[in-house]
């Protein structure tokens, strides 16, 4: 642990939000609603609890750090089916590792991938801005320079990879990419992913693609980075992807995900995880295995989110810069000043949203999220629809 590095980290966004709203009361008699936290409110499929109960005899066993052969095979099979990978292109024992949720994997990847120096210079870690705070914290705690790449309306809400200076690329050891993007919902197409893979291989850095929202989309399924890696050279060198059951299966409390890709990277990562990682109990691994095998609940889940996109479009079309997100379950609304809008919504409508500036680093115009709020479409339509109407009344009046 490096206390000086820890001191460089801002409070996590939701702690900042709690401080912002402390002492501010919503209107009396109004039902409050939290649209700040991206926590799915759909009930997880029954297969989860059923499998845990059926595996109760495994609670007294230590789980292996690399999971079970059944889990790895289920994940490899799902990846090949979902992203159209050639059959047998993933070896479960080499290309897949379980995670106790993608958060720990995203953080620990930096610890295993970032050296102390790169040709005598400080390593750089690329990431989009707005940014998932874990990317930034991982880079700082690994001793690297976090390089924030603006992902704005002008760049299609994805980082402009061509704008990264060459001298930065020459000391880059890790790049994070999120697609569909949190919070903007933008999807990196095949051409974008091809460019990202080529850039990683040209400059010798690891491309870590956070695909945890890949199964919640409005139109066509988002393409995947592993397919791009295979297109651009026939192997998985320099590329890993991370997935989770939190959003796909509404199972955030299961804390289950995986990292897959470059086998050399995963071998090093496994060595680190043996020292430091949380591992899932075997009954939970068994449940996760069954969830990755089942698509019926995912299809139903996706349709429920599409209904919420419909509700948001009815309430907000033509206002607050509304656009229908390609993927994920967030709205990214233009409000002028995110903190002020958040305070007003809580005080006047009892609605909690997240200031967009809390999802980036920097002040004023240097913070591309400052003029936005993030709205999580996680509640059922009966709760969500009147809340969106109240939001529009307050902010778009």
């Amino acid at each position: 642990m490096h206390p000086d590095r820890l001191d460089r980290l801002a409070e996590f966004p939701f702690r900042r939000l709690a401080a912002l709203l402390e002492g501010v009361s919503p209107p009396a008699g109004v039902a409050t609603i939290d649209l700040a936290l991206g926590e799915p409110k759909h009930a997880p499929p029954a297969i989860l609890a059923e499998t845990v109960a059926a595996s109760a005899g495994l609670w007294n066993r230590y789980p292996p750090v690399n999971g079970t052969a059944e889990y790895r095979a289920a994940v490899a099979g799902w990846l090949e089916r979902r992203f159209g990978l050639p059959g047998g292109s993933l070896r479960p024992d080499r290309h897949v590792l379980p995670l106790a949720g993608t958060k720990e994997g995203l953080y620990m990847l930096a610890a295993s991938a970032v050296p102390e120096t790169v040709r005598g210079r400080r390593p750089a870690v690329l990431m989009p801005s707005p940014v998932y705070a874990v990317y930034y914290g991982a880079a700082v705690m690994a001793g690297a320079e976090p390089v924030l790449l603006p992902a704005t309306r002008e760049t299609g809400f994805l980082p402009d990879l061509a704008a990264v200076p060459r001298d930065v690329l020459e000391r880059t050891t890790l790049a994070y990419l999120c697609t569909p993007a949190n919070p903007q919902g933008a999807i990196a197409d095949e051409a974008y992913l091809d460019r990202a893979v080529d850039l990683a291989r040209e400059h010798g850095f690891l491309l870590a693609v956070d695909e945890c929202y890949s199964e919640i989309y409005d139109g066509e399924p988002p393409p995947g980075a592993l397919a791009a890696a295979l297109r651009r050279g026939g192997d998985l060198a320099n590329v890993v992807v991370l997935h989770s059951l939190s959003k796909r299966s509404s199972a955030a409390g299961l804390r289950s995900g995986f990292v897959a890709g470059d086998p050399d990277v995963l071998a090093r990562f496994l060595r680190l995880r043996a020292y430091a990682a949380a591992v899932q109990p075997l009954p939970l691994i068994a449940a996760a295995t069954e969830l990755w095998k089942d698509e019926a609940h995912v299809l139903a889940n996706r349709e429920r989110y599409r209904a919420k996109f419909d509700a948001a479009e009815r309430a907000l079309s033509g206002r607050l810069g509304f656009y229908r997100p390609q993927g994920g379950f967030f709205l990214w609304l233009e409000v002028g000043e995110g903190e002020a809008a958040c305070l007003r919504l809580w005080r006047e409508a009892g609605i909690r949203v997240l200031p967009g500036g809390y999802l980036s680093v920097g002040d004023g115009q240097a913070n591309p999220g400052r003029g936005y709020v993030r709205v999580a479409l996680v509640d059922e339509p009966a709760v969500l629809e009147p809340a969106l109407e109240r939001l529009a009344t307050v902010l778009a009046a």
Side-chain angles (χ1 to χ4, degrees):
M1 175 66 71
H2 297 270
D4 56 327
R5 295 177 187 173
L6 188 60
D7 290 342
R8 291 173 53 196
L9 300 182
E11 287 287 358
F12 215 68
F14 297 104
R15 292 178 63 89
R16 295 179 66 186
L17 177 61
L20 175 70
L21 300 182
E22 186 176 3
V24 180
S25 298
V30 172
T32 62
I33 181 171
D34 189 346
L35 301 181
L37 184 62
E39 179 181 70
K41 300 294 177 66
H42 302 168
I47 193 173
L48 194 166
E50 291 167 357
T51 307
V52 171
S55 305
L58 300 176
W59 284 110
N60 63 342
R61 290 175 51 188
Y62 285 117
V65 71
N66 63 343
T68 63
E70 293 79 9
Y71 178 84
R72 296 190 300 273
V75 165
W78 178 79
L79 284 167
E80 291 180 358
R81 293 190 303 274
R82 165 62 178 84
F83 294 101
L85 308 181
S89 57
L90 297 181
R91 284 181 47 184
D93 59 329
R94 297 188 69 234
H95 296 124
V96 177
L97 282 178
L99 299 171
T102 53
K103 183 177 182 179
E104 67 103 346
L106 291 163
Y107 181 86
M108 291 180 64
L109 270 174
S112 64
V114 175
E116 291 188 11
T117 61
V118 178
R119 292 184 289 277
R121 303 170 67 194
R122 186 183 180 192
V125 174
L126 310 182
M127 62 196 70
S129 179
V131 60
Y132 180 36
V134 173
Y135 308 161
Y136 187 86
V140 169
M141 295 307 291
E145 177 190 354
V147 178
L148 294 148
L149 308 179
T152 63
R153 190 180 291 275
E154 290 70 29
T155 67
F157 292 123
L158 293 168
D160 181 0
L161 300 178
V164 184
R166 187 168 187 84
D167 69 309
V168 172
L169 290 171
E170 289 173 351
R171 58 189 180 90
T172 295
T173 58
L174 173 63
Y176 291 108
L177 177 66
C178 185
T179 175
N182 171 12
Q184 311 96 320
I187 290 174
D189 62 19
E190 289 186 351
Y192 186 100
L193 292 172
D194 287 350
R195 289 194 299 272
V197 170
D198 289 347
L199 203 63
R201 289 174 174 171
E202 178 184 354
H203 295 279
F205 61 80
L206 174 63
L207 176 65
V209 185
D210 183 354
E211 296 179 347
C212 73
Y213 294 95
S214 71
E215 302 316 287
I216 303 172
Y217 52 85
D218 194 32
E220 293 299 312
L226 293 186
L230 293 174
R231 277 196 305 273
R232 307 303 291 176
D235 61 35
L236 301 176
N238 299 83
V239 179
V240 296
V241 299
L242 298 98
H243 283 263
S244 167
L245 291 171
S246 295
K247 281 74 177 180
R248 174 187 181 271
S249 301
S250 302
L254 184 61
R255 307 313 303 137
S256 181
F258 67 81
V259 58
D262 186 326
D264 294 331
V265 170
L266 295 193
R268 288 178 56 81
F269 191 47
L270 178 61
R271 186 177 178 186
L272 175 63
R273 292 192 86 244
Y275 282 90
V279 291
Q280 278 193 309
L282 287 170
L284 303 189
I285 294 177
T289 301
E290 295 307 310
L291 287 172
W292 286 114
K293 293 178 182 178
D294 182 68
E295 286 296 317
H297 75 276
V298 184
L299 294 173
N301 206 32
R302 191 178 303 128
E303 287 306 311
R304 294 169 79 180
Y305 282 113
R306 284 185 176 133
K308 297 178 194 185
F309 297 158
D310 292 342
E313 191 164 27
R314 288 192 296 269
L316 296 167
S317 181
R319 295 187 279 186
L320 302 173
F322 172 84
Y323 60 92
R324 194 171 172 117
Q326 293 176 292
F329 50 50
F330 298 114
L331 302 181
W332 190 233
L333 301 179
E334 295 184 68
V335 294
E337 209 292 318
E339 280 191 336
C342 180
L343 279 166
R344 188 177 174 194
L345 273 176
W346 184 242
R347 183 182 295 115
E348 298 181 23
I351 298 172
R352 188 186 298 258
V353 298
L354 188 67
Y358 292 3
L359 295 169
S360 193
V361 178
D363 299 316
Q365 298 307 310
N367 186 324
R370 180 175 176 269
Y372 292 82
V373 293
R374 192 188 77 173
V375 180
L377 302 181
V378 291
D379 283 272
E380 296 294 350
V383 175
L384 187 64
E385 290 181 19
L388 290 172
E389 293 291 346
R390 279 153 52 195
L391 181 150
T393 298
V394 171
L395 294 185

